[in-house]
Amino acid sequence: MSSKATFKSTISGLEAPETDKVSCKSIRVPILNLIKEDHPDLDMSKEITVGELNVYREKYISKFLQSEVGELNDLHKNVIKALTDDKSLVSKVEDEPDNRTFGQRLADSVADFGGSWPFIISFFIFIMIWIGTNVYILMNKGFDPYPFILLNLILSCLASLQAPIIMMSQNRQEEKDRERAKKDYMINLKSELEIRMLDDKLDHLIMHQQQELIEIQKVQIEMMNDILNRIENKK
């Protein structure tokens, strides 16, 4: 068959390359039902284009999501757009910029340092130096003699400041976990929909191959009949 051969779509009536031909018989039933809603008089023996089929695939995905989770939100629209544009959500997730404010970055840094061994060791050394200086060097007559009221005040102020900063960082971590869960959901949803579409494409490919084999067999039978007719004519 010539690569320049064309056919007429039974939906739009427009000419299209033969390579874009999709038989109506090979379309999955849910998608075929959507097509029949717009074209009740669809001829099952005819063909449509791949582009027209993709439009109804997208409609099927949108309808599937609406029936599963209700109204489509921005997250589901992003998944459908990624399917339509054939883009990877993983690369999109990894390439997202850091949108934290200065306060959020500062809170994360303080919380990271406050929950680390360097902070514990350095703070322990600071307390030992403070106590040793006042008790042994200044003979308990220095700027903060026993029972170290100034040191207790500093520790109380540090604890009162550190607690809300850590809470800010924890809230930020919860936001990050929610965003990560949304991204995981988007990737899993896209994988599920792509598997559905892949199954549809495999069904179409198998049906198309079967049709080609049938056409080849018809040609072979015609050739065999021609040969048999020639043999009989010679007799």
Side-chain angles (χ1 to χ4, degrees):
M1 183 178 292
S2 174
S3 60
K4 295 183 180 179
T6 60
F7 75 102
K8 183 177 290 186
S9 171
T10 187
I11 290 179
S12 62
L14 299 176
E15 294 286 338
E18 191 77 16
T19 53
D20 291 344
K21 182 172 67 175
V22 179
S23 174
C24 293
K25 295 180 181 179
S26 64
I27 301 175
R28 288 172 62 105
V29 175
I31 301 176
L32 186 62
N33 291 335
L34 286 178
I35 298 176
K36 287 184 176 180
E37 289 179 3
D38 296 338
H39 304 277
D41 300 329
L42 181 68
D43 190 349
M44 293 299 296
S45 63
K46 300 295 184 180
E47 299 85 14
I48 64 174
T49 65
V50 175
E52 292 167 342
L53 178 60
N54 288 335
V55 171
Y56 283 96
R57 281 172 176 167
E58 184 176 344
K59 287 183 180 180
Y60 169 71
I61 292 171
S62 300
K63 192 172 182 180
F64 168 76
L65 291 176
Q66 286 177 334
S67 63
E68 289 291 325
V69 297
E71 184 179 357
L72 285 177
N73 53 30
D74 293 337
L75 187 140
H76 297 132
K77 291 177 181 177
N78 288 335
V79 174
I80 295 176
K81 188 175 185 300
L83 279 172
T84 306
D85 298 340
D86 196 20
K87 292 182 179 178
S88 173
L89 286 175
V90 177
S91 60
K92 180 180 177 182
V93 168
E94 292 177 348
D95 295 339
E96 284 187 355
D98 186 1
N99 295 322
R100 292 180 301 171
T101 62
F102 174 76
Q104 289 174 335
R105 289 195 297 269
L106 181 62
D108 290 342
S109 300
V110 172
D112 290 340
F113 179 69
S116 63
W117 278 108
F119 171 77
I120 296 174
I121 294 172
S122 59
F123 197 67
F124 179 76
I125 293 174
F126 168 76
I127 293 176
M128 291 296 100
I129 293 175
W130 184 288
I131 295 174
T133 301
N134 283 278
V135 173
Y136 298 105
I137 298 177
L138 300 178
M139 304 301 293
N140 210 26
K141 296 180 181 179
F143 53 88
D144 188 26
Y146 181 84
F148 313 111
I149 297 175
L150 181 58
L151 179 61
N152 288 327
L153 178 61
I154 293 174
L155 295 177
S156 299
C157 292
L158 180 63
S160 62
L161 288 174
Q162 195 176 26
I165 291 175
I166 292 175
M167 290 179 64
M168 288 169 58
S169 180
Q170 289 178 342
N171 292 335
R172 170 64 184 168
Q173 186 63 41
E174 290 178 0
E175 292 178 4
K176 289 166 63 178
D177 292 339
R178 284 194 295 269
E179 289 297 322
R180 188 177 293 110
K182 287 181 181 179
K183 293 169 184 176
D184 291 341
Y185 170 73
M186 289 174 63
I187 293 172
N188 292 333
L189 178 61
K190 185 172 184 287
S191 300
E192 179 184 351
L193 296 177
E194 282 185 335
I195 290 172
R196 287 172 176 264
M197 294 181 67
L198 181 61
D199 183 48
D200 184 20
K201 291 178 180 178
L202 285 175
D203 289 343
H204 167 254
L205 181 61
I206 293 172
M207 183 68 70
H208 186 67
Q209 288 178 341
Q210 289 176 347
Q211 291 175 349
E212 288 183 344
L213 289 174
I214 292 172
E215 291 296 327
I216 292 173
Q217 288 176 351
K218 288 180 179 179
V219 173
Q220 289 175 339
I221 292 173
E222 290 177 358
M223 293 174 65
M224 291 295 297
N225 289 332
D226 290 340
I227 293 172
L228 291 174
N229 290 332
R230 289 178 185 178
I231 293 173
E232 290 179 356
N233 290 332
K234 288 181 179 179
K235 290 181 180 179

